[in-house]
Amino acid sequence: MAALPKEPGDLWDALRAFDGDSRHALFAHCVSLSVNAIYEAYNRRPRALAHADQLAQAVDLDMVAAGWEPTVDTYLGRVTKARILASVREAKGTRAGDRIEHLRKGDMAERAQELLAGSGWLPEPLRTPGHLATAVDDASSVETGQSADGDIEDTAEDGGETAMAEIERRIEDELAEIDMHVIAAE
């Protein structure tokens, strides 16, 4: 932290001179150095991840409000085609995923970036337990049967599954995953 003195002998005087906001910032910095919420397949640490989830809830972490969006550089270019498709299908519906399934990875990632822009969708590791992620387009697409990119979505009338049932199923799945994290932490 840049506000700390270079000389160790000056540390305590500097800490005493800090105002409340500066002390809180220093404490947050120290805590941030001790939290590791990286999901690694080879390093299962359910307690550490559960603690990170608790910290995210305590500070009401909202990555969407913080401005994070899935882009080619931040996420889509770093994951498999299957994960890109799953992301688009979760945020925009099955048909949107089907429309980009034939593309090469680079083109798929770019098109997915366009589709996911402004959707509020987050990859699972960035979701704060208790915050419901955007499952399908906004409410207007559920009411009108149209997605944000203008395509007609399946509805009960034309033989497809209703959007509300899809949203409810995804919310139930998400809550079940949250419960699994809590059980694993115990």
Side-chain angles (χ1 to χ4, degrees), residues 29-51:
H29 175 71
C30 293
V31 168
S32 73
L33 296 174
S34 66
V35 175
N36 179 356
I38 296 174
Y39 289 83
E40 301 166 320
Y42 63 88
N43 187 10
R44 301 193 190 279
R45 303 167 298 119
R47 285 186 171 174
L49 297 176
H51 286 250

Side-chain angles (χ1 to χ4, degrees), residues 94-157:
T94 304
R95 291 183 68 186
D98 292 347
R99 285 192 303 273
I100 66 169
E101 189 170 24
H102 69 282
L103 299 174
R104 292 184 178 185
K105 184 179 176 189
D107 295 333
M108 181 187 287
E110 287 178 18
R111 182 68 179 123
Q113 177 177 311
E114 294 167 12
L115 289 169
L116 295 173
S119 70
W121 179 87
L122 293 171
E124 186 180 342
L126 298 182
R127 297 176 188 171
T128 299
H131 281 256
L132 291 179
T134 302
V136 177
D137 276 319
D138 61 6
S140 65
S141 67
V142 173
E143 293 168 10
T144 65
Q146 226 171 12
S147 68
D149 56 359
D151 294 325
I152 302 296
E153 295 291 329
D154 286 338
T155 63
E157 291 126 24

Side-chain angles (χ1 to χ4, degrees), residues 40-114:
E40 301 166 320
Y42 63 88
N43 187 10
R44 301 193 190 279
R45 303 167 298 119
R47 285 186 171 174
L49 297 176
H51 286 250
D53 286 344
Q54 288 177 339
L55 180 61
Q57 286 176 308
V59 300
D60 198 25
L61 179 64
D62 186 346
M63 293 299 292
V64 173
W68 192 93
E69 285 201 6
T71 65
V72 173
D73 292 333
T74 63
Y75 179 74
L76 299 165
R78 301 169 186 254
V79 296
T80 64
K81 285 177 65 171
R83 186 131 336 190
I84 295 170
L85 288 171
S87 302
V88 170
R89 287 177 174 141
E90 181 179 15
K92 295 293 185 173
T94 304
R95 291 183 68 186
D98 292 347
R99 285 192 303 273
I100 66 169
E101 189 170 24
H102 69 282
L103 299 174
R104 292 184 178 185
K105 184 179 176 189
D107 295 333
M108 181 187 287
E110 287 178 18
R111 182 68 179 123
Q113 177 177 311
E114 294 167 12

Side-chain angles (χ1 to χ4, degrees), residues 1-12 14-15 18:
M1 182 167 199
L4 295 176
K6 301 274 186 230
E7 295 298 320
D10 298 333
L11 178 63
W12 292 110
L15 292 175
F18 276 9

